[in-house]
Amino acid sequence: MTWILYIHILSACAWIGGSIVLFGLGIFIRDRATQEAVYGAIGPFYGYFETVWLIILISTGFILGDHYQLFSVMHTDTELGHYVTWKLVLVSLLSIATMVHLYIAFATHKTTRTLVQKFLSRGGSLAIFLLNLAILWVAINIRSAL
């Protein structure tokens, strides 16, 4: 099971690291033309790359949760039960935010986005960033509670 944990941690590094890099690009590249050129060039590759890592991350998470019987402690009045429940809720929210963000990103690639699309895309990006940090914090607490 050690190699599944290794793949899970590697996937988390790729997923969260990539998320932080793109989030940082959005903040530090202020010139709109440069921003569009950068995202236009790396966006599709990044979308596929990160989707693969997210699928691996969720899959290995379920394998680990099943192996260590973490799902049986969900909804129990224990510290571990609360953290496992919260992690599944946060991962579900992250998955929804990612799907919305990717749908808009691919549907509007190299086109002008509407105000609603901009709001959902940027809001999704911010949600993904914040949820990643929350999930990481919960994962650390799960490990500490084991």
Side-chain angles (χ1 to χ4, degrees), residues 2-142:
T2 302
W3 65 275
I4 297 286
L5 179 60
Y6 175 78
I7 292 170
H8 188 71
I9 293 170
L10 177 66
S11 301
C13 291
W15 169 257
I16 295 172
S19 162
I20 291 171
V21 167
L22 274 208
F23 189 78
L25 285 175
I27 291 172
F28 292 110
I29 299 176
R30 301 308 310 155
D31 179 55
R32 185 65 58 196
T34 304
Q35 208 175 54
E36 288 176 11
V38 169
Y39 282 116
I42 66 172
F45 167 77
Y46 176 80
Y48 292 120
F49 175 82
E50 289 296 288
T51 299
V52 169
W53 284 114
L54 182 59
I55 290 168
I56 293 170
L57 188 56
I58 291 171
S59 300
T60 56
F62 274 107
I63 292 168
L64 290 166
D66 182 58
H67 178 75
Y68 292 107
Q69 301 173 352
L70 295 177
F71 301 121
S72 65
V73 300
M74 284 181 59
H75 306 297
T76 61
D77 195 24
T78 64
E79 181 182 37
L80 184 59
H82 292 294
Y83 284 130
V84 171
T85 302
W86 268 109
K87 187 167 182 185
L88 287 177
V89 168
L90 292 170
V91 168
S92 298
L93 292 173
L94 174 73
S95 298
I96 292 166
T98 300
M99 285 187 275
V100 169
H101 182 75
L102 283 176
Y103 174 77
I104 292 170
F106 284 120
T108 62
H109 184 65
K110 300 218 180 198
T111 64
T112 304
R113 292 181 181 168
T114 66
L115 187 59
V116 172
Q117 289 169 331
K118 284 180 188 178
F119 176 78
L120 288 173
S121 179
R122 290 180 183 161
S125 182
L126 178 61
I128 291 165
F129 177 75
L130 295 175
L131 286 166
N132 279 336
L133 297 178
I135 291 167
L136 183 59
W137 181 81
V138 171
I140 290 167
N141 282 288
I142 287 172

